[in-house]
Amino acid sequence: MQKSDLLKKLQEIVGDEHVSASAAELYCYSCDASQIRGMPDFVIRPVSTEQISKIVSLANENEIPVTARGAGTGLAGGAVPVEGGIVLDMSSMNRILETDLDNLQVTIEPGIVQEKLNQALEPYGLFFPPDPGSSAMCTLGGLIANNGSGMRSVKYGTTRNYVLGLEVVLADGTVINTGSKASKSVAGYSLTDLFVGSEGTLGIITKATLRLRALPKERSVLLASFEDPELAGQAVVKVLSSGIVPSACEILDRNIIEAINTFDPKIGLPKAGAILMFEVDGTENTVREGIEMIKDACSTLATSIRAASDKKERDEIWAARRLVGAAVSRLDPLRTRVYVGEDIGVPIKELPGMLHKVREISEEFKLPIMTYGHIGDGNLHTGMCIDVLSDAEWEKLNKAADKIHRTAIGIGGTVTAEHGVGSARAAYLDLELGKALDVMILIKNALDPKGILNPGKMGV
Amino acid sequence: MQKSDLLKKLQEIVGDEHVSASAAELYCYSCDASQIRGMPDFVIRPVSTEQISKIVSLANENEIPVTARGAGTGLAGGAVPVEGGIVLDMSSMNRILETDLDNLQVTIEPGIVQEKLNQALEPYGLFFPPDPGSSAMCTLGGLIANNGSGMRSVKYGTTRNYVLGLEVVLADGTVINTGSKASKSVAGYSLTDLFVGSEGTLGIITKATLRLRALPKERSVLLASFEDPELAGQAVVKVLSSGIVPSACEILDRNIIEAINTFDPKIGLPKAGAILMFEVDGTENTVREGIEMIKDACSTLATSIRAASDKKERDEIWAARRLVGAAVSRLDPLRTRVYVGEDIGVPIKELPGMLHKVREISEEFKLPIMTYGHIGDGNLHTGMCIDVLSDAEWEKLNKAADKIHRTAIGIGGTVTAEHGVGSARAAYLDLELGKALDVMILIKNALDPKGILNPGKMGV
């Protein structure tokens, strides 16, 4: 079909104002927060499942790629149309369809922003726990498609744990419903779990029923300093095996501490080989008790321990954590933080060794690497900044990232704990998954035989 | 291939003593704890993944059904070879391969019994939380294949939440590994979640890495009586939305209370329209606080509330709960408890209405139905006893069960919350899942094109 005929058909489906093929607009949809780029042929802003079903069906008949996009905050190119075709901008489908307080559930459209959902739930004392760094911008559809998580997953788990059911448009336009409103069901394969984290390669998520939790009454934080990351790692194992489940358990390495203190000297993080930041939430008693237990567990390993005395101090400590991204990016005005090799996950006991290895890689390639992350989950973010105009720097960065990825896989870890595979990490799935990748491909081919759904992603 | 040639080949793979085609032995493998029956042609007790790979490969070449079996405690015929062929008795593969304390993980073979695993973990202060009623007998392989759960899933979730990775033999004999030892990974489709709950229809689970939890230091229980189940249901919603997460939340209806009191008058459960049994676990303070919060939440709805004053009373209350099965079975020596239509799950707010409907169905068919279950999960077990020698009674039971299933589906629920689909409930998946069943079939055909893996199950 001619491009102009296709445009006409798409306009018939969604209306002229909701589809665009203008270069300026297409350009806006050619990237996400990663370094991956790809120009779409059309951008469409659908408002209903029915429209999406018609669009996907048309695309399937004409073998045109379809890539769904939420807020474009992804760090792996997941929403970038690397093979062109149609981008479905889901941000217009952003309604809360049902807030079912008695069942502690909410049914939403995928375009709603995480923070907006939680603002709407707050008056009811409820919340949707997964909270990535991008929660002020990212959409639930993106979170679900990537199985996003963030700082509190050590206690609350990932997005997967909160998706009860989905409405999905398949590659041929068929609309299916997965899961159940019952909180437990074993009726059939867990298709919900298959679509969660499939990054739009198996279907377009058009609706989701989510499980909610009651907002904790209290929160408190504790900051523990260590001589080196290995001791911090030991403390994490001790805390987690003591039965207390912190609502956050973060690590900052020496480089990150220095970066934050340089960025804003008022913060005055203790100089240390590593800092652990723990948060405990729950009732007043639970929190007090949890903080004491963590203090005890860390006491023989830490050089200093400081519990926030009040809400103000607690907020200051988290503000420091939230500054990591900015502090890393602003270290050197000539260098840009590039999200490559930045999301490894390793078994918790391998963390100290992995941190050591990252330092070695940093020295080998003469590339400063700053490490922080959700240590309670074994998830390390390695921050690298380069002069993005220099090919030599890119080469260095890619080589260092490659070594980081291969090291993580070698010790039983993963190249991506929460940011997704997309195009950025697709080449590593063969190494990480082995023959399981063949099973992914079998499933992909069965559900999307023409390969129109987000092609060029996840190695399928 | 002739049956005798096949036997010879199977003997070559596992040794003469580990394969049998004797009628007496085959008969033992023709049933599970449900009413489903099916005679195998061979029973094999493999001891390694390699053997299983060879057996499945041979079966695939010759299009012979292969059904994996753990302890045969299933309630839906999942382990029954309804189309004959090979039964793989996995109980010889029962080793704990690695107890990884630092990572709070254990790697096991599928034949290990749930209780034995937890006994081995107890000295380390760790446990594997999912605890079905059959935990003293059921194997981990069965639990994983069925995504089993039980009484404590209201706090701890189902088996799915504890499976980090699997080793699986596919239909053609290929061995794959899914998941990661890292506690969070988004590298690829969640094949682990696809195999969990697939009841042996997509592959044979030969190894699993499980996430563990620290054993709670304390537990306490509380018993609240209500005039009717509707008020009990309201109390459950109030408790769960108050932020406290009980480690168990069970309901017994009037019939079950009477059955238990008749079975053992010493137990003396309060006469009531419904009783809720709550358990809270954690530290001493958490437990005390949780029990108080539950008391508060129930205070305006319950007719009486009794918290266990000590461990002895707590154990007595749980002993009463554990007696349900026996009490129901022994109500009438001429009648047998049949597990049909016994595992519905509904959204929590639909529970009171569903309980009312069950009572109506009981009256309509003049069939006593006793209801109990994991109300915190919306999971109701409806106990029906019939004279199994009477065709008329079977017909009545099947009609009542059919109505129970259709009612549950009609209010957004499921025909099986934890017991599995197997053959018993396969006919309902079309109604419950709609077009999602077609997706299951696509996946089944892609992974097992000859349909040799546990045929006749799950509607695929």
Side-chain angles (χ1 to χ4, degrees), chain B residues 351-419:
Chain B
L351 268 163
M354 187 70 217
L355 285 158
H356 181 75
K357 193 77 194 171
V358 168
R359 177 73 62 117
E360 277 180 10
I361 293 168
S362 169
E363 281 160 11
E364 179 185 346
F365 293 95
K366 296 187 177 47
L367 190 70
I369 305 182
M370 279 139 292
T371 308
Y372 59 103
H374 318 310
I375 192 171
D377 288 324
N379 185 192
L380 288 180
H381 297 321
T382 42
M384 297 188 270
C385 299
I386 58 163
D387 173 359
V388 289
L389 300 177
S390 156
D391 288 347
E393 293 246 311
W394 270 107
E395 199 189 325
K396 216 162 69 167
L397 173 115
N398 285 326
K399 279 189 177 160
D402 180 66
K403 204 150 187 177
I404 288 172
H405 281 156
R406 288 175 191 276
T407 305
I409 292 171
I411 55 175
T414 177
V415 295
T416 178
E418 59 176 18
H419 291 173

Side-chain angles (χ1 to χ4, degrees), chain A residues 38-339:
Chain A
M39 198 63 74
D41 297 301
F42 305 97
V43 172
I44 308 178
R45 282 174 290 274
V47 295
S48 71
T49 303
E50 201 192 341
Q51 286 181 353
I52 294 172
S53 169
K54 285 181 184 164
I55 295 163
V56 175
S57 173
L58 180 68
N60 196 45
E61 281 162 26
N62 295 280
E63 302 196 20
I64 296 161
V66 179
T67 300
R69 178 187 177 97
T73 56
L75 293 164
V80 178
V82 292
E83 298 188 11
I86 294 166
V87 167
L88 290 178
D89 174 348
M90 305 295 286
S91 57
S92 302
M93 289 176 67
N94 59 0
R95 291 174 302 168
I96 296 176
L97 299 171
E98 191 193 357
T99 307
D100 186 349
L101 300 178
D102 283 352
N103 283 323
L104 303 177
Q105 293 174 11
V106 67
T107 299
I108 51 131
E109 289 182 328
I112 189 168
V113 167
Q114 196 272 6
E115 200 173 86
K116 293 228 162 118
L117 173 64
N118 273 335
Q119 282 163 359
L121 294 170
E122 201 182 353
Y124 307 111
L126 298 173
F127 78 124
F128 170 76
D131 63 335
S134 56
S135 57
M137 297 151 275
C138 73
T139 65
L140 261 294
L143 264 177
I144 294 166
N146 288 280
N147 187 27
S149 47
M151 217 144 66
R152 299 213 165 85
S153 55
V154 61
K155 173 170 179 173
Y156 290 101
T158 66
T159 296
R160 178 181 306 290
N161 301 117
Y162 296 89
V163 185
L164 279 162
L166 295 171
E167 181 185 82
V168 179
V169 175
L170 301 177
D172 65 357
T174 305
V175 182
I176 65 162
N177 287 282
T178 73
S180 175
K181 289 198 77 169
S183 95
K184 245 169 50 177
S185 172
V186 292
Y189 302 159
S190 184
L191 298 181
T192 305
D193 278 298
L194 183 64
F195 287 107
V196 173
S198 67
E199 302 188 9
T201 64
L202 296 178
I204 311 289
I205 294 162
T206 49
K207 210 183 277 183
T209 298
L210 306 173
R211 194 192 295 274
L212 304 173
R213 293 286 291 262
L215 273 168
K217 290 179 177 57
E218 291 288 335
R219 282 180 204 286
S220 190
V221 301
L222 181 141
L223 207 139
S225 306
F226 299 86
E227 272 176 20
D228 61 52
E230 188 162 343
L231 289 164
Q234 288 176 25
V236 170
V237 173
K238 229 174 140 186
V239 167
L240 297 181
S241 60
S242 75
I244 189 81
V245 182
S247 50
C249 175
E250 298 286 301
I251 191 168
L252 308 179
D253 79 352
R254 187 185 299 276
N255 293 337
I256 290 284
I257 297 166
E258 282 171 18
I260 291 174
N261 284 340
T262 305
F263 179 76
D264 184 354
K266 272 183 293 175
I267 289 171
L269 285 176
K271 280 186 185 170
I275 288 176
L276 291 180
M277 292 172 156
F278 291 100
E279 184 190 76
V280 181
D281 69 8
T283 65
E284 207 180 311
N285 278 329
T286 319
V287 169
R288 195 184 316 121
E289 198 170 53
I291 292 288
E292 285 310 311
M293 285 174 72
I294 294 173
K295 267 189 190 165
D296 282 356
C298 293
S299 61
T300 56
L301 297 160
T303 51
S304 77
I305 298 176
R306 188 178 116 206
S309 53
D310 54 21
K311 191 179 172 306
K312 183 169 167 286
E313 197 178 349
R314 177 191 89 191
D315 290 347
E316 278 168 14
I317 293 174
W318 280 137
R321 167 63 182 85
R322 271 192 291 270
L323 277 177
V324 168
V328 169
S329 302
R330 294 222 211 148
L331 269 179
D332 180 341
L334 298 176
R335 287 162 178 272
T336 306
R337 165 86 191 268
V338 182
Y339 286 85

Side-chain angles (χ1 to χ4, degrees), chain B residues 38 48 95 148 166 176 216 225 266 279 305 308 316 339 358 374-375 392 412 429 440:
Chain B
S48 72
R95 291 173 302 167
L166 295 171
I176 64 162
S225 305
K266 272 184 294 174
E279 183 189 78
I305 298 176
E316 276 168 14
Y339 286 86
V358 168
H374 318 310
I375 192 171
L429 285 206
M440 281 178 56

Side-chain angles (χ1 to χ4, degrees), chain B residues 113-335:
Chain B
V113 168
Q114 196 271 7
E115 200 172 86
K116 294 230 162 116
L117 174 63
N118 273 335
Q119 283 163 359
L121 295 170
E122 201 180 353
Y124 306 111
L126 297 173
F127 79 125
F128 170 75
D131 64 335
S134 56
S135 56
M137 298 150 274
C138 73
T139 65
L140 262 293
L143 264 177
I144 295 167
N146 288 280
N147 187 27
S149 47
M151 218 145 66
R152 299 213 165 85
S153 56
V154 61
K155 172 169 179 172
Y156 290 102
T158 66
T159 297
R160 179 181 305 290
N161 301 116
Y162 296 90
V163 184
L164 279 163
L166 295 171
E167 180 185 83
V168 180
V169 175
L170 301 177
D172 65 357
T174 304
V175 182
I176 64 162
N177 287 281
T178 73
S180 175
K181 288 198 77 169
S183 94
K184 244 169 51 177
S185 172
V186 293
Y189 303 159
S190 186
L191 298 182
T192 305
D193 279 297
L194 183 64
F195 288 107
V196 173
S198 66
E199 302 187 8
T201 64
L202 297 177
I204 311 291
I205 294 162
T206 49
K207 209 184 278 183
T209 298
L210 306 173
R211 194 191 296 273
L212 304 173
R213 294 284 292 262
L215 272 168
K217 290 178 176 57
E218 291 288 335
R219 281 180 205 286
S220 190
V221 300
L222 181 141
L223 206 139
S225 305
F226 299 85
E227 272 177 19
D228 61 53
E230 188 161 346
L231 289 165
Q234 288 174 24
V236 170
V237 173
K238 228 174 141 187
V239 167
L240 296 181
S241 61
S242 75
I244 190 81
V245 183
S247 50
C249 175
E250 297 287 301
I251 192 168
L252 309 179
D253 79 353
R254 187 187 298 276
N255 293 338
I256 290 285
I257 297 166
E258 283 170 19
I260 292 174
N261 284 340
T262 306
F263 179 75
D264 184 354
K266 272 184 294 174
I267 288 172
L269 285 177
K271 279 185 185 170
I275 288 177
L276 291 180
M277 293 172 156
F278 291 99
E279 183 189 78
V280 181
D281 69 9
T283 64
E284 206 179 312
N285 279 330
T286 319
V287 169
R288 196 184 314 120
E289 198 170 52
I291 291 288
E292 286 308 313
M293 285 174 74
I294 294 172
K295 267 189 191 165
D296 282 355
C298 293
S299 61
T300 57
L301 297 160
T303 51
S304 76
I305 298 176
R306 187 178 116 206
S309 54
D310 54 20
K311 190 178 172 307
K312 184 169 166 287
E313 198 178 349
R314 177 191 88 192
D315 291 347
E316 276 168 14
I317 293 175
W318 279 136
R321 167 64 181 87
R322 270 191 293 270
L323 277 178
V324 169
V328 169
S329 303
R330 295 222 210 149
L331 269 180
D332 181 342
L334 297 177
R335 287 162 179 271

Side-chain angles (χ1 to χ4, degrees), chain A residues 346-361:
Chain A
V346 297
I348 288 169
K349 75 170 172 188
E350 307 292 347
L351 268 163
M354 187 70 218
L355 285 158
H356 181 76
K357 192 76 194 174
V358 168
R359 177 73 62 118
E360 276 180 10
I361 293 168

Side-chain angles (χ1 to χ4, degrees), chain A residues 381-430:
Chain A
H381 296 322
T382 42
M384 296 189 272
C385 300
I386 59 163
D387 173 359
V388 289
L389 300 176
S390 157
D391 288 347
E393 293 245 311
W394 271 107
E395 199 189 326
K396 219 162 67 167
L397 172 116
N398 285 325
K399 279 189 175 161
D402 180 67
K403 205 151 187 177
I404 289 172
H405 281 155
R406 289 176 191 277
T407 306
I409 292 171
I411 55 176
T414 178
V415 295
T416 179
E418 58 176 17
H419 291 174
V421 178
S423 300
R425 284 174 270 263
Y428 291 95
L429 285 206
D430 189 23

